Amino acid sequence: VKQAKQVGRPQVYEPREASAARRRFSIETELRRALDRDQLKLSYQPLINLKSGEVAGFEALARWTHDDRGEISPAEFIPVAEESGLILQLGRWAMDKAAQTVAGWDTAAGEQLPIYVGVNLSAIQLARDNIADVVESALRSSGLAGNRLTLELTESSIVQDPARAMRVFEALKALDATVAMDDFGTGYSSLAYLQRLPIDVLKIDKSFVTGMMRDADSVAIVRAVLSLADALGMSTTAEGIETVELATTLAALGCASGQGFYFAKPLEADAALAYWKSRRKA
Ligand code: C2E
Ligand code: MG
Ligand code: MG
Ligand code: MG
């Protein structure tokens, strides 16, 4: 065993797992407090219609700037929220906030803007909360029409309890919302679910999109997903478009919409609305 790295360090016994567990625990405590104090924010990443170049909608993404630790990534706090059950509170907050924000844009514009908002739903919410009630109440209190809302669900929402997923997806469709399968291709769902469930959009995971720049296999997978979606009457969104080459290639392959740092990073609400205006053609 190499001990060289230890030389000169204080001999405090602190296994990696113990400090990780401690951080996780304090993240949980502090996330609970941040939620109670309404300290989380939503960022809005534009989704671009790859044919017209206009903004089709925005994905709402949770952001947390911790008083001492600074910005904490959702990749870290969402799993903690899921394990602790805080995701139910976080999920309701995100749903309400996103609906209010977009309804507020409409009010300021004096018309219903031709843009939707995508909200991420965790599999834990699907299993443990009454999602349709959460969505309905967000729509009712904001006044936003259901067809302005896209719910992003992952394959893990289906696999645990497909019968429940079917009921929930249908309840969401009854509210006129759009259902998107997020991170498509990374989970364990079977194609039979795709056929049976009312899914409107496949969001191609960014790992395949990024992979297109390096290997032919990723290109083949993306082509296959696009043709599968087409055959099943679903629309497509590509995540993680970081270059103009990817944007033009995906457009040429028939991918309907896309998001990524090439177009814009997730933006604060005001900047997101300004971005929509700047790309508007008519
Ligand atoms: P996601 O739903 O797949 O969201 C897309 C993620 O890809 C976002 O990461 C976004 O910032 C990132 N992204 C977009 N374009 C690019 C690009 O061109 N390059 C790269 N490298 N990344 C790009 P973010 O905001 O860090 O969120 C990570 C994940 O956390 C989300 O993945 C989602 O699963 C989860 N999440 C975020 N907010 C919420 C929320 O309010 N509720 C739930 N349940 N999950 C959330
Ligand atoms: Mg998403
Ligand atoms: Mg995604
Ligand atoms: Mg993803």
Side-chain angles (χ1 to χ4, degrees):
V1 183
K2 263 183 139 183
Q3 295 285 341
K5 277 186 188 164
Q6 304 287 321
V7 173
R9 293 248 182 116
Q11 297 298 300
V12 181
Y13 176 66
E14 183 162 295
R16 195 182 292 269
E17 305 82 55
S19 59
R22 216 174 6 251
R23 178 170 167 103
R24 191 211 157 284
F25 182 74
S26 48
I27 294 277
E28 179 185 329
T29 309
E30 288 154 25
L31 179 61
R32 177 171 288 116
R33 190 162 50 212
L35 280 166
D36 288 340
R37 295 180 180 174
D38 199 23
Q39 287 173 339
L40 266 62
K41 293 212 153 76
L42 285 180
S43 280
Y44 298 86
Q45 188 177 32
L47 283 91
I48 308 295
N49 177 324
L50 293 178
K51 231 182 215 158
S52 71
E54 291 190 285
V55 175
F58 294 93
E59 177 173 6
L61 294 157
R63 292 290 177 266
W64 179 22
T65 307
H66 188 282
D67 289 339
D68 314 317
R69 299 176 202 265
E71 177 113 353
I72 300 181
S73 164
E76 179 166 17
F77 71 77
I78 293 291
V80 173
E82 289 179 325
E83 287 162 29
S84 60
L86 285 172
I87 194 71
L88 302 189
Q89 190 184 343
L90 192 158
R92 287 185 214 122
W93 164 81
M95 189 63 243
D96 282 333
K97 186 82 187 168
Q100 275 164 21
T101 298
V102 175
W105 292 346
D106 287 2
T107 305
E111 60 173 317
Q112 288 203 13
L113 302 179
I115 37 182
Y116 61 82
V117 66
V119 176
N120 291 286
L121 297 181
S122 155
I124 309 290
Q125 287 176 273
L126 202 95
R128 294 192 15 213
D129 212 346
N130 192 335
I131 290 285
D133 283 354
V134 172
V135 171
E136 189 175 19
S137 116
L139 293 175
R140 199 173 343 100
S141 60
S142 66
L144 194 74
N147 64 6
R148 305 285 300 290
L149 182 66
T150 295
L151 298 161
E152 300 198 358
L153 296 129
T154 57
E155 293 170 73
S156 52
S157 320
I158 305 173
V159 177
Q160 261 193 347
D161 186 348
R164 184 179 170 97
M166 176 65 92
R167 286 195 302 277
V168 174
F169 282 38
E170 291 198 317
L172 297 174
K173 292 308 300 169
L175 295 171
D176 215 13
T178 300
V179 173
M181 191 56 25
D182 205 354
D183 304 334
F184 183 68
T186 61
Y188 297 93
S189 69
S190 79
L191 294 177
Y193 295 144
L194 273 197
Q195 187 185 28
R196 267 186 258 137
L197 290 161
I199 295 164
D200 305 296
V201 182
L202 295 185
K203 289 194 78 172
I204 306 171
D205 190 67
K206 62 173 172 285
S207 57
F208 302 116
V209 175
T210 311
M212 289 173 77
M213 299 193 283
R214 288 188 305 265
D215 60 88
D217 288 354
S218 293
V219 178
I221 289 171
V222 170
R223 275 181 188 278
V225 173
L226 293 172
S227 98
L228 178 70
D230 192 46
L232 295 174
M234 297 172 187
S235 187
T236 42
T237 301
E239 300 182 327
I241 301 179
E242 292 185 354
T243 65
V244 63
E245 289 80 14
L246 281 174
T248 39
T249 305
L250 284 158
L253 291 174
C255 185
S257 61
Q259 69 191 104
F261 297 168
Y262 166 65
F263 296 112
K265 291 202 167 173
L267 304 165
E268 286 186 21
D270 292 350
L273 185 62
Y275 185 85
W276 167 71
K277 285 182 186 151
S278 76
R279 294 192 71 107
R280 198 176 192 191
K281 296 205 167 128

